[in-house]
Amino acid sequence: MRSTGNSDRAPTVVGAVIVCAGTGSRSGLPYNKVLHYIGQKTAVELVLDAFSRSCASRTVLVSSPADERRMSEIAEQYQNVTVCVGGATRAESVKLGLDALGACDIAVIHDGARPFVTPELIQSTVDSAIEHGSGVAAVRAVDTVKRVSGKKIIAHLDRSELYCMQTPQTFRYSEIYAAYESLGSSAYECTDDAEVYGRAGHSACVVDGSYRNIKLTTASDLFRAMPLGIKIGVGFDVHKLVAGRKLILGGIDIPFEKGLDGHSDADVLTHAVMDALLSAAGLPDIGVLFPDTDDRFLGASSMKLLGEVTERVRAEGTIRSVSAVVIAQRPKFAGYISSMRKSLATALGIDERSVNVSATTTEHLGIIGDGEAIAASASCLLEDK
Ligand code: MG
């Protein structure tokens, strides 16, 4: 079991309660917002990723009855994560989560709808709780805040004293548990754990949160949560069709009376895909990496070269999607599109649904329309590390 704290003291056992029991009605989604995908993972999976890299040794996901099955499937992907069903209010759900967590030294309470929490932020709330009994993530208010009654402003509040509360909110387990116990159902009107703790006679300590640690509440929050650092790459290539060569596209042999001419296997589709990847990553193109003056690449399998390019590009970011179009008058590729997608997705190490290949003609115009060449164009989305 992981623990934190000074080595000459008893290890501090840290547990976590992640509240996911809301319905997310304000987000306008037809499902719980913690199950909204941000990139390739749901919000709650991003939260669990952060907690799995933190000092918390066990975690309870508090679910609504409707989502219990899905939450259990998600929990199974992680170690020491269990699921319990929550209540009608956030506070009731936290209390049920603390019951399910069982006694430990420090309890970290977090909202499943804050997917950008980091292990570092979790740790700073834990450190504060070890030292002061509590550590509540908060950021200074950016907007000027007024008290309003009806349509009238009745008080101008001093912004320098105002903080916006976030989660994690972390406490000594015994104290936050006793606070929830002592307040009973009156705790259920509290909107955060610091308020429950405060009503029980304690004064919680704040730690620096992050403006990035947003809570998904409204539709605009879902837009703000879109992955940042996306780069687009483009690639284009054309090869001449000649007799006596194989026609290979996306690593697939396509029966045809001619094949593409080139130094390597002349897989024009894979060449365009490689250049799109390299362009997104800001790396030199395939003409530089695999020059046609180098005999090592004579007759080379372009799929093998794609494997090498993928490795280089992965050092720069995560490949999110690739889309390509083959431009040829003949042959017709409809029957091979699915195999090309599979083959490229395997080489790229990404889901086949993230790779698309289409085909078009030039309506008999130009060298492609005359059947003298085949071209391909590709684009890709790369997410920064
Ligand atoms: Mg080429």
Side-chain angles (χ1 to χ4, degrees), residues 189-274:
E189 63 206 43
C190 297
T191 54
D192 75 348
D193 312 292
E195 187 181 353
V196 174
Y197 192 68
R199 285 202 199 181
H202 304 283
S203 196
C205 291
V206 297
V207 302
D208 287 335
S210 161
Y211 292 102
R212 176 87 178 122
N213 180 29
I214 61 167
K215 185 173 182 187
L216 307 180
T217 304
T218 62
S220 68
D221 297 329
L222 301 177
F223 183 75
R224 285 166 69 200
M226 282 173 71
L228 299 174
I230 289 284
K231 288 179 178 168
I232 296 174
V234 294
F236 178 81
D237 197 17
V238 59
H239 280 258
K240 192 176 173 185
L241 273 169
V242 294
R245 293 266 302 182
K246 275 185 169 183
L247 177 58
I248 301 170
L249 291 170
I252 303 298
D253 277 19
I254 295 171
F256 190 50
E257 68 221 30
K258 291 179 178 177
L260 292 170
D261 195 19
H263 187 66
S264 65
D265 63 5
D267 181 341
V268 68
L269 169 59
T270 304
H271 290 187
V273 167
M274 285 195 281

Coordinates of all heavy atoms in Angstrom, one line a residue, residues 189-274:
E189 N -27.2 20.3 2.6 CA -27.4 21.6 1.9 C -26.1 22.3 1.6 O -26.0 23.3 0.9 CB -28.3 22.6 2.7 CG -27.8 23.0 4.1 CD -28.9 23.3 5.1 OE1 -29.9 22.6 5.2 OE2 -28.7 24.3 5.8
C190 N -24.9 21.8 2.2 CA -23.6 22.4 2.0 C -23.2 22.0 0.5 O -23.4 20.9 0.0 CB -22.6 21.8 2.9 SG -22.9 22.2 4.6
T191 N -22.5 23.0 -0.1 CA -22.1 22.7 -1.5 C -20.7 22.2 -1.7 O -20.2 21.9 -2.7 CB -22.3 24.0 -2.4 OG1 -21.6 25.1 -1.8 CG2 -23.8 24.3 -2.6
D192 N -19.9 22.3 -0.6 CA -18.6 21.7 -0.6 C -18.2 21.2 0.8 O -18.9 21.4 1.8 CB -17.5 22.6 -1.2 CG -17.1 23.7 -0.3 OD1 -17.7 23.9 0.7 OD2 -16.1 24.4 -0.6
D193 N -17.1 20.4 0.8 CA -16.7 19.8 2.0 C -16.1 20.7 3.0 O -16.2 20.6 4.2 CB -15.7 18.6 1.7 CG -16.2 17.8 0.6 OD1 -17.2 17.1 0.8 OD2 -15.7 17.9 -0.5
A194 N -15.5 21.8 2.5 CA -14.9 22.8 3.4 C -16.1 23.5 4.2 O -15.9 23.8 5.4 CB -14.2 23.9 2.6
E195 N -17.3 23.6 3.7 CA -18.4 24.2 4.4 C -18.8 23.2 5.5 O -19.1 23.6 6.6 CB -19.5 24.5 3.4 CG -20.7 25.2 4.1 CD -21.8 25.5 3.1 OE1 -21.7 25.3 1.9 OE2 -22.9 26.0 3.7
V196 N -18.9 21.9 5.2 CA -19.3 20.9 6.2 C -18.2 21.0 7.4 O -18.6 21.0 8.5 CB -19.3 19.5 5.6 CG1 -19.5 18.4 6.6 CG2 -20.3 19.4 4.5
Y197 N -17.0 21.0 7.0 CA -15.9 21.1 7.9 C -16.0 22.3 8.8 O -15.8 22.3 10.0 CB -14.6 21.1 7.1 CG -13.3 20.8 7.8 CD1 -13.0 19.6 8.4 CD2 -12.3 21.9 7.9 CE1 -11.7 19.4 9.0 CE2 -11.1 21.7 8.5 CZ -10.8 20.4 9.0 OH -9.6 20.2 9.6
G198 N -16.3 23.5 8.1 CA -16.4 24.7 8.8 C -17.6 24.7 9.8 O -17.5 25.2 10.9
R199 N -18.8 24.2 9.3 CA -20.0 24.2 10.2 C -19.7 23.3 11.4 O -20.4 23.4 12.4 CB -21.2 23.6 9.4 CG -21.7 24.6 8.4 CD -23.2 24.3 8.2 NE -23.7 24.9 6.9 CZ -24.9 24.7 6.5 NH1 -25.7 23.9 7.2 NH2 -25.3 25.3 5.4
A200 N -18.8 22.4 11.3 CA -18.5 21.5 12.5 C -17.4 22.1 13.4 O -16.9 21.5 14.3 CB -18.0 20.1 12.0
G201 N -17.1 23.4 13.1 CA -16.2 24.1 14.0 C -14.8 24.2 13.6 O -13.9 24.8 14.3
H202 N -14.4 23.7 12.4 CA -13.0 23.8 11.9 C -12.9 25.0 10.9 O -13.9 25.4 10.3 CB -12.6 22.6 11.2 CG -12.7 21.3 12.0 ND1 -11.9 21.0 13.0 CD2 -13.7 20.3 12.0 CE1 -12.3 19.8 13.6 NE2 -13.4 19.4 13.0
S203 N -11.6 25.4 10.7 CA -11.4 26.4 9.7 C -10.4 25.8 8.7 O -9.3 25.4 9.0 CB -10.7 27.6 10.4 OG -10.8 28.7 9.5
A204 N -10.9 25.5 7.4 CA -10.1 24.8 6.4 C -9.0 25.7 5.9 O -9.2 26.9 5.7 CB -11.0 24.3 5.3
C205 N -7.9 25.1 5.5 CA -6.7 25.8 4.9 C -6.9 25.7 3.4 O -7.1 24.6 2.9 CB -5.4 25.2 5.3 SG -5.0 25.4 7.0
V206 N -6.6 26.8 2.7 CA -6.6 26.7 1.2 C -5.2 26.4 0.7 O -4.2 26.8 1.3 CB -7.1 27.9 0.5 CG1 -8.6 28.1 0.9 CG2 -6.3 29.2 0.8
V207 N -5.1 25.7 -0.4 CA -3.8 25.6 -1.1 C -4.0 26.1 -2.6 O -5.2 26.1 -3.0 CB -3.2 24.1 -1.2 CG1 -3.1 23.6 0.2 CG2 -4.2 23.2 -2.0
D208 N -3.0 26.5 -3.3 CA -3.1 27.0 -4.6 C -3.7 25.9 -5.6 O -3.0 24.9 -5.8 CB -1.7 27.5 -5.2 CG -1.3 28.8 -4.5 OD1 -2.2 29.5 -4.0 OD2 -0.1 29.0 -4.5
G209 N -4.9 26.2 -6.1 CA -5.4 25.3 -7.1 C -4.9 25.7 -8.5 O -3.8 26.3 -8.6
S210 N -5.7 25.5 -9.5 CA -5.2 25.8 -10.8 C -6.4 26.3 -11.7 O -7.5 25.7 -11.6 CB -4.5 24.6 -11.5 OG -4.5 24.8 -12.9
Y211 N -6.2 27.3 -12.5 CA -7.3 27.8 -13.3 C -7.6 26.8 -14.4 O -8.7 26.8 -15.1 CB -7.0 29.2 -14.0 CG -7.0 30.3 -12.9 CD1 -5.8 30.8 -12.4 CD2 -8.2 30.8 -12.4 CE1 -5.8 31.8 -11.5 CE2 -8.2 31.8 -11.4 CZ -6.9 32.3 -11.0 OH -6.9 33.2 -10.0
R212 N -6.7 25.8 -14.6 CA -6.9 24.8 -15.6 C -7.8 23.7 -15.0 O -8.4 22.9 -15.7 CB -5.5 24.2 -16.0 CG -5.5 23.0 -16.9 CD -5.5 23.4 -18.4 NE -5.5 22.2 -19.2 CZ -6.4 21.9 -20.1 NH1 -7.4 22.7 -20.4 NH2 -6.3 20.9 -20.9
N213 N -7.9 23.6 -13.7 CA -8.6 22.6 -13.0 C -10.1 22.9 -13.0 O -10.8 23.0 -11.9 CB -8.1 22.5 -11.5 CG -8.8 21.4 -10.7 OD1 -9.2 20.4 -11.2 ND2 -8.8 21.6 -9.4
I214 N -10.7 23.0 -14.2 CA -12.1 23.5 -14.3 C -13.1 22.3 -14.0 O -12.7 21.2 -14.1 CB -12.4 24.0 -15.7 CG1 -12.2 23.0 -16.8 CG2 -11.6 25.3 -16.0 CD1 -12.8 23.3 -18.1
K215 N -14.3 22.7 -13.6 CA -15.3 21.7 -13.4 C -16.2 21.8 -14.6 O -16.7 22.8 -15.1 CB -16.1 22.1 -12.1 CG -17.1 21.0 -11.8 CD -17.8 21.3 -10.5 CE -18.8 20.2 -10.1 NZ -19.5 20.6 -8.9
L216 N -16.5 20.6 -15.2 CA -17.4 20.5 -16.3 C -18.9 20.7 -15.8 O -19.4 19.9 -15.0 CB -17.3 19.2 -17.0 CG -16.0 18.7 -17.4 CD1 -16.0 17.4 -18.1 CD2 -15.3 19.7 -18.4
T217 N -19.4 21.9 -16.1 CA -20.8 22.1 -15.6 C -21.7 22.5 -16.7 O -22.8 21.8 -16.9 CB -20.8 23.3 -14.6 OG1 -19.9 23.0 -13.5 CG2 -22.2 23.5 -14.0
T218 N -21.3 23.4 -17.6 CA -22.2 23.8 -18.7 C -21.6 23.4 -20.0 O -20.5 22.9 -20.1 CB -22.3 25.4 -18.7 OG1 -21.0 25.9 -18.9 CG2 -22.8 25.9 -17.4
A219 N -22.4 23.6 -21.1 CA -22.0 23.2 -22.4 C -20.7 23.9 -22.8 O -19.8 23.4 -23.4 CB -23.0 23.5 -23.4
S220 N -20.5 25.2 -22.3 CA -19.3 25.9 -22.7 C -18.1 25.3 -22.0 O -16.9 25.4 -22.5 CB -19.4 27.4 -22.4 OG -19.5 27.6 -21.0
D221 N -18.3 24.7 -20.8 CA -17.1 24.0 -20.1 C -16.7 22.8 -20.9 O -15.5 22.6 -21.0 CB -17.6 23.5 -18.7 CG -18.0 24.6 -17.8 OD1 -17.4 25.7 -17.9 OD2 -18.8 24.4 -16.9
L222 N -17.6 22.2 -21.6 CA -17.2 21.0 -22.4 C -16.4 21.5 -23.5 O -15.4 20.8 -23.9 CB -18.5 20.3 -22.9 CG -19.5 19.8 -21.8 CD1 -20.7 19.1 -22.5 CD2 -18.8 18.8 -20.9
F223 N -16.7 22.7 -24.1 CA -15.9 23.2 -25.2 C -14.5 23.6 -24.7 O -13.5 23.3 -25.3 CB -16.6 24.5 -25.8 CG -15.9 25.1 -26.9 CD1 -15.9 24.4 -28.2 CD2 -15.1 26.2 -26.8 CE1 -15.3 25.0 -29.2 CE2 -14.5 26.8 -27.9 CZ -14.5 26.1 -29.1
R224 N -14.4 24.2 -23.5 CA -13.1 24.6 -22.9 C -12.3 23.4 -22.6 O -11.1 23.4 -22.5 CB -13.3 25.4 -21.6 CG -13.8 26.8 -21.8 CD -14.3 27.4 -20.5 NE -13.2 27.6 -19.5 CZ -13.4 27.7 -18.2 NH1 -14.6 27.6 -17.7 NH2 -12.4 27.9 -17.4
A225 N -13.0 22.2 -22.4 CA -12.2 21.0 -22.0 C -11.7 20.3 -23.2 O -11.0 19.2 -23.0 CB -13.1 20.1 -21.2
M226 N -11.9 20.8 -24.4 CA -11.4 20.1 -25.6 C -9.8 20.1 -25.5 O -9.2 21.0 -25.0 CB -11.8 20.8 -26.8 CG -13.2 20.5 -27.2 SD -13.8 21.5 -28.6 CE -12.8 20.9 -29.9
P227 N -9.2 19.0 -25.9 CA -7.8 18.9 -25.8 C -7.1 20.1 -26.4 O -7.4 20.5 -27.5 CB -7.4 17.6 -26.5 CG -8.7 16.8 -26.6 CD -9.8 17.9 -26.6
L228 N -6.0 20.5 -25.7 CA -5.3 21.7 -26.2 C -4.1 21.1 -27.0 O -3.8 19.9 -26.9 CB -4.8 22.5 -25.0 CG -5.9 23.1 -24.2 CD1 -5.3 23.8 -23.0 CD2 -6.7 24.1 -25.0
G229 N -3.3 22.0 -27.6 CA -2.1 21.6 -28.2 C -2.3 20.7 -29.4 O -1.4 19.8 -29.6
I230 N -3.3 20.8 -30.2 CA -3.5 20.0 -31.3 C -2.8 20.6 -32.5 O -2.9 21.8 -32.8 CB -5.1 19.8 -31.7 CG1 -5.8 19.0 -30.6 CG2 -5.3 19.3 -33.0 CD1 -5.5 17.5 -30.7
K231 N -2.0 19.7 -33.2 CA -1.4 20.2 -34.4 C -1.9 19.4 -35.6 O -2.1 18.2 -35.5 CB 0.2 20.0 -34.3 CG 0.8 20.9 -33.3 CD 2.3 20.6 -33.2 CE 3.0 21.6 -32.3 NZ 4.3 21.1 -31.9
I232 N -2.0 20.1 -36.8 CA -2.4 19.5 -38.0 C -1.2 19.3 -38.9 O -0.4 20.2 -39.0 CB -3.5 20.4 -38.7 CG1 -4.7 20.5 -37.8 CG2 -3.8 19.8 -40.1 CD1 -5.7 21.5 -38.4
G233 N -1.1 18.1 -39.5 CA -0.1 17.9 -40.5 C -0.7 17.5 -41.8 O -1.7 16.9 -41.9
V234 N 0.0 17.9 -42.9 CA -0.5 17.5 -44.2 C 0.7 16.9 -45.0 O 1.8 17.2 -44.8 CB -1.0 18.8 -45.0 CG1 -2.2 19.3 -44.4 CG2 0.1 19.8 -45.2
G235 N 0.3 16.0 -45.9 CA 1.3 15.3 -46.8 C 0.7 15.0 -48.1 O -0.5 14.8 -48.3
F236 N 1.5 15.1 -49.1 CA 1.1 14.8 -50.5 C 2.2 14.0 -51.2 O 3.4 14.3 -51.0 CB 0.8 16.1 -51.2 CG 0.3 15.9 -52.7 CD1 -1.0 15.5 -52.9 CD2 1.2 16.0 -53.7 CE1 -1.4 15.3 -54.2 CE2 0.8 15.8 -55.0 CZ -0.5 15.4 -55.3
D237 N 1.8 13.1 -52.1 CA 2.8 12.4 -52.9 C 2.2 11.9 -54.2 O 0.9 11.8 -54.3 CB 3.3 11.2 -52.1 CG 4.6 10.7 -52.7 OD1 5.3 11.4 -53.5 OD2 5.0 9.5 -52.4
V238 N 3.0 11.8 -55.2 CA 2.5 11.2 -56.5 C 3.6 10.3 -57.1 O 4.8 10.6 -56.9 CB 2.2 12.4 -57.5 CG1 3.4 13.3 -57.8 CG2 1.6 11.9 -58.8
H239 N 3.2 9.2 -57.6 CA 4.2 8.3 -58.3 C 3.6 7.9 -59.7 O 2.4 7.8 -59.8 CB 4.4 7.0 -57.4 CG 5.3 7.2 -56.3 ND1 6.6 6.8 -56.3 CD2 5.2 7.8 -55.1 CE1 7.2 7.1 -55.2 NE2 6.4 7.7 -54.4
K240 N 4.5 7.5 -60.5 CA 4.2 7.2 -61.9 C 3.8 5.7 -61.9 O 4.4 4.8 -61.2 CB 5.5 7.3 -62.8 CG 5.3 7.3 -64.2 CD 6.6 7.6 -64.9 CE 6.5 7.3 -66.4 NZ 7.8 7.5 -67.0
L241 N 2.8 5.4 -62.8 CA 2.3 4.0 -62.9 C 3.1 3.4 -64.1 O 3.2 4.0 -65.2 CB 0.8 3.9 -63.3 CG -0.1 3.9 -62.1 CD1 -1.6 4.1 -62.6 CD2 0.0 2.5 -61.3
V242 N 3.7 2.2 -63.9 CA 4.5 1.5 -64.9 C 4.2 0.0 -64.9 O 3.7 -0.5 -63.9 CB 6.0 1.7 -64.7 CG1 6.5 3.2 -64.9 CG2 6.5 1.2 -63.3
A243 N 4.5 -0.6 -66.0 CA 4.3 -2.0 -66.1 C 5.4 -2.7 -65.4 O 6.5 -2.2 -65.2 CB 4.3 -2.5 -67.6
G244 N 5.1 -3.9 -64.9 CA 6.1 -4.8 -64.2 C 6.4 -4.4 -62.8 O 7.4 -4.9 -62.2
R245 N 5.6 -3.6 -62.2 CA 5.7 -3.3 -60.7 C 4.5 -3.7 -60.0 O 3.4 -3.7 -60.6 CB 6.0 -1.8 -60.5 CG 7.3 -1.3 -61.1 CD 8.4 -1.3 -60.0 NE 8.1 -0.5 -58.8 CZ 9.0 -0.3 -57.8 NH1 10.2 -0.9 -57.9 NH2 8.6 0.4 -56.8
K246 N 4.6 -4.0 -58.7 CA 3.4 -4.3 -57.9 C 2.7 -3.0 -57.5 O 3.4 -2.0 -57.3 CB 3.8 -4.9 -56.6 CG 4.0 -6.4 -56.6 CD 4.3 -6.9 -55.2 CE 4.2 -8.4 -55.1 NZ 4.4 -8.8 -53.8
L247 N 1.4 -3.0 -57.4 CA 0.7 -1.8 -56.9 C 0.4 -2.0 -55.4 O -0.4 -2.9 -55.0 CB -0.6 -1.6 -57.7 CG -1.5 -0.4 -57.2 CD1 -0.7 0.9 -57.2 CD2 -2.8 -0.3 -58.0
I248 N 1.1 -1.3 -54.6 CA 0.9 -1.4 -53.1 C 0.4 -0.1 -52.6 O 1.0 1.0 -52.8 CB 2.2 -1.8 -52.4 CG1 2.7 -3.1 -53.0 CG2 2.1 -1.9 -50.9 CD1 4.2 -3.5 -52.6
L249 N -0.7 -0.1 -51.9 CA -1.3 1.1 -51.3 C -1.7 0.8 -49.8 O -2.4 -0.1 -49.6 CB -2.5 1.6 -52.1 CG -2.2 2.1 -53.5 CD1 -3.5 2.3 -54.2 CD2 -1.4 3.4 -53.4
G250 N -1.1 1.6 -48.9 CA -1.4 1.4 -47.5 C -1.0 0.0 -47.0 O -1.6 -0.6 -46.1
G251 N 0.1 -0.5 -47.7 CA 0.6 -1.8 -47.3 C -0.2 -3.0 -47.9 O 0.2 -4.1 -47.7
I252 N -1.2 -2.7 -48.7 CA -2.0 -3.8 -49.3 C -1.7 -3.9 -50.8 O -1.6 -3.0 -51.6 CB -3.5 -3.4 -49.2 CG1 -3.9 -3.1 -47.7 CG2 -4.4 -4.5 -49.8 CD1 -3.7 -4.3 -46.8
D253 N -1.4 -5.2 -51.2 CA -1.2 -5.5 -52.6 C -2.5 -5.4 -53.4 O -3.5 -6.2 -53.0 CB -0.7 -7.0 -52.7 CG 0.8 -7.0 -52.5 OD1 1.4 -6.1 -51.9 OD2 1.5 -8.0 -52.9
I254 N -2.6 -4.6 -54.4 CA -3.8 -4.5 -55.2 C -3.6 -5.0 -56.6 O -2.7 -4.5 -57.3 CB -4.3 -3.0 -55.2 CG1 -4.6 -2.7 -53.7 CG2 -5.5 -2.8 -56.1 CD1 -4.9 -1.2 -53.5
P255 N -4.3 -6.1 -57.0 CA -4.1 -6.6 -58.3 C -4.4 -5.6 -59.4 O -5.5 -5.0 -59.4 CB -5.2 -7.8 -58.4 CG -5.7 -7.9 -57.0 CD -5.4 -6.7 -56.2
F256 N -3.4 -5.3 -60.3 CA -3.6 -4.3 -61.3 C -2.5 -4.6 -62.4 O -1.5 -5.1 -62.0 CB -3.5 -2.9 -60.8 CG -3.9 -1.8 -61.7 CD1 -5.1 -1.9 -62.4 CD2 -3.1 -0.7 -62.0 CE1 -5.5 -0.9 -63.3 CE2 -3.5 0.3 -62.9 CZ -4.7 0.2 -63.5
E257 N -2.8 -4.2 -63.6 CA -1.8 -4.5 -64.7 C -0.5 -3.7 -64.6 O 0.5 -4.0 -65.2 CB -2.5 -4.2 -66.0 CG -2.8 -2.7 -66.3 CD -4.1 -2.4 -66.9 OE1 -5.1 -3.2 -66.7 OE2 -4.2 -1.4 -67.6
K258 N -0.6 -2.6 -63.7 CA 0.6 -1.8 -63.5 C 0.9 -1.6 -62.1 O 0.0 -1.9 -61.2 CB 0.4 -0.4 -64.2 CG 0.4 -0.4 -65.7 CD 0.2 1.1 -66.1 CE 0.2 1.2 -67.7 NZ -0.1 2.5 -68.1
G259 N 2.1 -1.1 -61.7 CA 2.4 -0.7 -60.4 C 3.1 0.6 -60.3 O 3.4 1.2 -61.4
L260 N 3.3 1.1 -59.1 CA 3.9 2.4 -59.0 C 5.4 2.3 -59.0 O 6.0 1.4 -58.4 CB 3.4 3.1 -57.7 CG 1.9 3.5 -57.7 CD1 1.4 3.9 -56.4 CD2 1.7 4.6 -58.8
D261 N 6.0 3.3 -59.7 CA 7.5 3.3 -59.8 C 8.1 4.1 -58.7 O 7.6 5.1 -58.3 CB 7.8 3.9 -61.2 CG 9.3 3.6 -61.6 OD1 9.9 2.7 -61.0 OD2 9.8 4.3 -62.5
G262 N 9.2 3.6 -58.2 CA 9.9 4.4 -57.2 C 11.1 3.7 -56.6 O 11.3 2.5 -56.9
H263 N 11.8 4.4 -55.7 CA 13.0 3.8 -55.1 C 12.6 2.7 -54.1 O 13.2 1.7 -54.1 CB 13.8 4.9 -54.5 CG 15.2 4.5 -53.9 ND1 16.2 4.1 -54.8 CD2 15.6 4.4 -52.7 CE1 17.2 3.8 -54.0 NE2 16.9 4.0 -52.7
S264 N 11.6 3.0 -53.3 CA 11.1 2.0 -52.4 C 10.0 1.2 -53.1 O 10.0 1.1 -54.3 CB 10.5 2.8 -51.1 OG 9.4 3.5 -51.5
D265 N 9.0 0.7 -52.3 CA 7.9 0.0 -52.9 C 6.9 1.0 -53.5 O 5.9 0.6 -54.1 CB 7.2 -1.0 -51.9 CG 6.6 -0.2 -50.7 OD1 6.6 1.0 -50.7 OD2 6.1 -0.9 -49.8
A266 N 7.2 2.3 -53.4 CA 6.4 3.4 -54.0 C 5.0 3.4 -53.6 O 4.1 3.7 -54.3 CB 6.5 3.3 -55.5
D267 N 4.7 3.0 -52.3 CA 3.4 3.1 -51.7 C 3.0 4.5 -51.4 O 3.3 5.1 -50.4 CB 3.4 2.2 -50.4 CG 2.0 2.2 -49.7 OD1 1.2 3.0 -50.0 OD2 1.9 1.3 -48.9
V268 N 2.4 5.1 -52.4 CA 2.1 6.5 -52.4 C 1.2 7.0 -51.3 O 1.4 8.1 -50.7 CB 1.5 7.0 -53.8 CG1 0.1 6.4 -54.0 CG2 1.6 8.4 -54.0
L269 N 0.3 6.1 -50.9 CA -0.6 6.4 -49.8 C 0.2 6.5 -48.5 O 0.0 7.5 -47.7 CB -1.7 5.4 -49.7 CG -2.6 5.4 -48.5 CD1 -3.3 6.7 -48.3 CD2 -3.7 4.2 -48.5
T270 N 1.0 5.5 -48.2 CA 1.8 5.5 -47.0 C 2.8 6.6 -47.0 O 3.0 7.2 -45.9 CB 2.5 4.1 -46.8 OG1 1.4 3.1 -46.9 CG2 3.2 4.0 -45.5
H271 N 3.3 7.0 -48.2 CA 4.2 8.1 -48.2 C 3.5 9.4 -47.8 O 4.1 10.2 -47.0 CB 4.8 8.3 -49.6 CG 5.8 7.2 -50.0 ND1 6.5 7.2 -51.2 CD2 6.1 6.0 -49.4 CE1 7.2 6.1 -51.2 NE2 7.0 5.4 -50.1
A272 N 2.3 9.6 -48.3 CA 1.6 10.9 -47.9 C 1.2 10.9 -46.4 O 1.4 11.9 -45.8 CB 0.3 10.9 -48.7
V273 N 0.9 9.7 -45.9 CA 0.6 9.6 -44.4 C 1.8 9.9 -43.6 O 1.8 10.6 -42.6 CB 0.0 8.2 -44.1 CG1 0.0 7.9 -42.6 CG2 -1.4 8.0 -44.7
M274 N 3.0 9.4 -44.0 CA 4.2 9.6 -43.3 C 4.5 11.1 -43.3 O 4.9 11.7 -42.3 CB 5.4 8.8 -43.9 CG 5.3 7.3 -43.6 SD 6.9 6.5 -44.0 CE 6.8 6.3 -45.7

